[in-house]
PDB file of all heavy atoms in Angstrom:
ATOM      1  N   GLN L 276    -111.671 -91.313  85.222  1.00 95.00           N
ATOM      2  CA  GLN L 276    -112.400 -92.574  85.288  1.00 95.00           C
ATOM      3  C   GLN L 276    -111.787 -93.533  86.302  1.00 95.00           C
ATOM      4  O   GLN L 276    -112.502 -94.157  87.077  1.00 95.00           O
ATOM      5  CB  GLN L 276    -112.405 -93.230  83.899  1.00 95.00           C
ATOM      6  CG  GLN L 276    -113.251 -94.488  83.807  1.00 95.00           C
ATOM      7  CD  GLN L 276    -114.746 -94.175  83.895  1.00 95.00           C
ATOM      8  OE1 GLN L 276    -115.298 -93.513  83.048  1.00 95.00           O
ATOM      9  NE2 GLN L 276    -115.404 -94.639  84.949  1.00 95.00           N
ATOM     10  N   LYS L 279    -110.912 -91.555  90.002  1.00 97.00           N
ATOM     11  CA  LYS L 279    -112.105 -90.912  90.588  1.00 97.00           C
ATOM     12  C   LYS L 279    -111.775 -89.548  91.160  1.00 97.00           C
ATOM     13  O   LYS L 279    -112.267 -89.167  92.229  1.00 97.00           O
ATOM     14  CB  LYS L 279    -112.734 -91.776  91.692  1.00 97.00           C
ATOM     15  CG  LYS L 279    -112.826 -93.249  91.411  1.00 97.00           C
ATOM     16  CD  LYS L 279    -113.754 -93.558  90.274  1.00 97.00           C
ATOM     17  CE  LYS L 279    -113.817 -95.066  90.053  1.00 97.00           C
ATOM     18  NZ  LYS L 279    -114.454 -95.364  88.767  1.00 97.00           N
ATOM     19  N   ILE L 316    -116.613 -77.052  86.429  1.00 90.00           N
ATOM     20  CA  ILE L 316    -117.528 -78.191  86.342  1.00 90.00           C
ATOM     21  C   ILE L 316    -118.886 -77.775  85.765  1.00 90.00           C
ATOM     22  O   ILE L 316    -119.568 -78.572  85.123  1.00 90.00           O
ATOM     23  CB  ILE L 316    -117.715 -78.811  87.751  1.00 90.00           C
ATOM     24  CG1 ILE L 316    -116.400 -79.391  88.262  1.00 90.00           C
ATOM     25  CG2 ILE L 316    -118.798 -79.882  87.747  1.00 90.00           C
ATOM     26  CD1 ILE L 316    -115.836 -80.503  87.428  1.00 90.00           C
ATOM     27  N   ARG L 318    -119.521 -76.284  83.276  1.00 84.00           N
ATOM     28  CA  ARG L 318    -119.551 -76.396  81.817  1.00 84.00           C
ATOM     29  C   ARG L 318    -119.777 -77.822  81.327  1.00 84.00           C
ATOM     30  O   ARG L 318    -119.877 -78.073  80.132  1.00 84.00           O
ATOM     31  CB  ARG L 318    -118.237 -75.850  81.226  1.00 84.00           C
ATOM     32  CG  ARG L 318    -118.050 -74.368  81.515  1.00 84.00           C
ATOM     33  CD  ARG L 318    -116.829 -73.817  80.840  1.00 84.00           C
ATOM     34  NE  ARG L 318    -116.948 -73.850  79.389  1.00 84.00           N
ATOM     35  CZ  ARG L 318    -116.037 -73.357  78.562  1.00 84.00           C
ATOM     36  NH1 ARG L 318    -114.959 -72.778  79.054  1.00 84.00           N
ATOM     37  NH2 ARG L 318    -116.199 -73.431  77.265  1.00 84.00           N
ATOM     38  N   ASP L 326    -128.955 -89.315  81.143  1.00 74.00           N
ATOM     39  CA  ASP L 326    -129.931 -89.520  80.078  1.00 74.00           C
ATOM     40  C   ASP L 326    -129.827 -90.972  79.623  1.00 74.00           C
ATOM     41  O   ASP L 326    -128.771 -91.583  79.710  1.00 74.00           O
ATOM     42  CB  ASP L 326    -129.626 -88.580  78.896  1.00 74.00           C
ATOM     43  CG  ASP L 326    -129.779 -87.117  79.311  1.00 74.00           C
ATOM     44  OD1 ASP L 326    -130.482 -86.860  80.299  1.00 74.00           O
ATOM     45  OD2 ASP L 326    -129.167 -86.256  78.659  1.00 74.00           O
TER      46      ASP L 326
ATOM     47  N   GLN S 276    -116.774 -79.856  91.988  1.00 96.00           N
ATOM     48  CA  GLN S 276    -116.089 -78.572  91.859  1.00 96.00           C
ATOM     49  C   GLN S 276    -115.209 -78.273  93.072  1.00 96.00           C
ATOM     50  O   GLN S 276    -114.071 -77.837  92.931  1.00 96.00           O
ATOM     51  CB  GLN S 276    -117.127 -77.451  91.692  1.00 96.00           C
ATOM     52  CG  GLN S 276    -116.526 -76.091  91.399  1.00 96.00           C
ATOM     53  CD  GLN S 276    -115.915 -76.012  90.005  1.00 96.00           C
ATOM     54  OE1 GLN S 276    -116.605 -76.119  89.005  1.00 96.00           O
ATOM     55  NE2 GLN S 276    -114.597 -75.854  89.931  1.00 96.00           N
ATOM     56  N   ASN S 313    -118.394 -94.414  90.729  1.00 92.00           N
ATOM     57  CA  ASN S 313    -118.438 -95.103  89.439  1.00 92.00           C
ATOM     58  C   ASN S 313    -119.443 -94.466  88.491  1.00 92.00           C
ATOM     59  O   ASN S 313    -120.622 -94.815  88.483  1.00 92.00           O
ATOM     60  CB  ASN S 313    -118.721 -96.588  89.657  1.00 92.00           C
ATOM     61  CG  ASN S 313    -117.513 -97.276  90.287  1.00 92.00           C
ATOM     62  OD1 ASN S 313    -116.376 -96.954  89.930  1.00 92.00           O
ATOM     63  ND2 ASN S 313    -117.737 -98.179  91.219  1.00 92.00           N
ATOM     64  N   ILE S 316    -117.308 -91.709  82.573  1.00 90.00           N
ATOM     65  CA  ILE S 316    -116.708 -90.427  82.188  1.00 90.00           C
ATOM     66  C   ILE S 316    -116.755 -90.221  80.671  1.00 90.00           C
ATOM     67  O   ILE S 316    -116.833 -89.095  80.190  1.00 90.00           O
ATOM     68  CB  ILE S 316    -115.244 -90.365  82.687  1.00 90.00           C
ATOM     69  CG1 ILE S 316    -115.192 -90.388  84.214  1.00 90.00           C
ATOM     70  CG2 ILE S 316    -114.520 -89.139  82.156  1.00 90.00           C
ATOM     71  CD1 ILE S 316    -115.874 -89.245  84.886  1.00 90.00           C
ATOM     72  N   ARG S 318    -119.042 -90.416  78.786  1.00 84.00           N
ATOM     73  CA  ARG S 318    -120.274 -89.743  78.363  1.00 84.00           C
ATOM     74  C   ARG S 318    -120.226 -88.226  78.571  1.00 84.00           C
ATOM     75  O   ARG S 318    -121.162 -87.513  78.214  1.00 84.00           O
ATOM     76  CB  ARG S 318    -121.472 -90.326  79.115  1.00 84.00           C
ATOM     77  CG  ARG S 318    -121.678 -91.810  78.786  1.00 84.00           C
ATOM     78  CD  ARG S 318    -122.901 -92.367  79.447  1.00 84.00           C
ATOM     79  NE  ARG S 318    -124.119 -91.762  78.912  1.00 84.00           N
ATOM     80  CZ  ARG S 318    -125.337 -92.125  79.278  1.00 84.00           C
ATOM     81  NH1 ARG S 318    -125.491 -93.067  80.177  1.00 84.00           N
ATOM     82  NH2 ARG S 318    -126.399 -91.532  78.757  1.00 84.00           N
ATOM     83  N   ASP S 326    -113.620 -75.615  74.931  1.00 74.00           N
ATOM     84  CA  ASP S 326    -114.089 -74.772  73.835  1.00 74.00           C
ATOM     85  C   ASP S 326    -114.168 -73.340  74.350  1.00 74.00           C
ATOM     86  O   ASP S 326    -114.400 -73.109  75.532  1.00 74.00           O
ATOM     87  CB  ASP S 326    -115.481 -75.236  73.376  1.00 74.00           C
ATOM     88  CG  ASP S 326    -115.429 -76.652  72.803  1.00 74.00           C
ATOM     89  OD1 ASP S 326    -114.331 -77.088  72.413  1.00 74.00           O
ATOM     90  OD2 ASP S 326    -116.476 -77.312  72.787  1.00 74.00           O
TER      91      ASP S 326
END
Side-chain angles (χ1 to χ4, degrees):
Chain L
Q276 186 70 64
K279 318 295 181 193
I316 296 298
R318 297 185 65 176
D326 296 338
Chain S
Q276 186 70 64
N313 289 321
I316 296 299
R318 297 184 66 177
D326 296 339

